[in-house]
Amino acid sequence: MKILGLLPNKREEKEIRRVIENITLLDNYTELFEKLKSDYFNILLLWTDEIKEELLLELIFRAKEINKELLVYVLGEKASIQLVAGSISAGAKDYILKPYDVQKLIFTLERDLKKNQINKNLQIIKNQTTIENITVSSYLFENEDIKIFKYEK
């Protein structure tokens, strides 16, 4: 799991670096987009403390344009319904309010990454018309973690 983040305040930075492995924290938008274009990341964390709403939505949208599979999480102290809805509409996976437990945050990131990979693999199977004379015709069962398909020869 490779994580990219826009540098939070110094108080949080030490805790985040201590607890989250494989995180790259940057301090400006230009570096953030250059890094997204030059390297592959699974997750992008954006702290809203210092970001204006319009810029935040643009960051999410542009990041998802660069990497459609990127899971974007917004973390903030306060949020309006408009900001949360706008973030999700722009492509964020979730909006997480402070105070948050960093261990629970890591658990959420890992869980969502696994679900994303399962769904990606299942989508590949679903999109293939025929696999060795077997055709995926429909879903029999579906929940958050598992999709079971009906196959026909």
Side-chain angles (χ1 to χ4, degrees), residues 48-105:
T48 63
D49 301 350
E50 305 296 326
I51 304 175
K52 293 183 180 179
E53 183 175 339
E54 300 81 27
L55 181 57
L56 174 66
L57 301 180
E58 183 180 339
L59 284 171
I60 296 167
F61 183 77
R62 287 185 56 203
K64 292 294 284 186
E65 278 185 330
I66 294 168
N67 179 352
K68 294 185 185 338
E69 296 176 10
L70 184 68
L71 297 177
V72 180
Y73 296 85
V74 180
L75 299 95
E77 288 184 2
K78 48 190 166 185
S80 65
I81 292 173
Q82 293 170 324
L83 180 59
V84 173
S87 298
I88 302 298
S89 294
K93 173 75 175 161
D94 203 352
Y95 193 106
I96 301 169
L97 285 174
K98 292 180 184 178
Y100 50 83
D101 180 307
V102 178
Q103 292 296 336
K104 288 180 182 176
L105 175 63

Side-chain angles (χ1 to χ4, degrees), residues 1-4 36 39-45 60-73 90-94 108-124 127:
M1 171 168 65
K2 286 184 69 177
I3 303 172
L4 181 63
L36 275 174
D39 201 354
Y40 182 83
F41 290 90
N42 307 100
I43 294 169
L44 173 62
L45 300 177
I60 296 167
F61 183 77
R62 287 185 56 203
K64 292 294 284 186
E65 278 185 330
I66 294 168
N67 179 352
K68 294 185 185 338
E69 296 176 10
L70 184 68
L71 297 177
V72 180
Y73 296 85
K93 173 75 175 161
D94 203 352
T108 299
L109 300 177
E110 289 174 345
R111 182 198 64 210
D112 288 350
L113 194 57
K114 285 178 188 173
K115 284 175 24 178
N116 198 43
Q117 187 61 46
I118 289 169
N119 287 336
K120 181 181 167 188
N121 292 342
L122 290 172
Q123 191 64 39
I124 290 169
N127 289 340

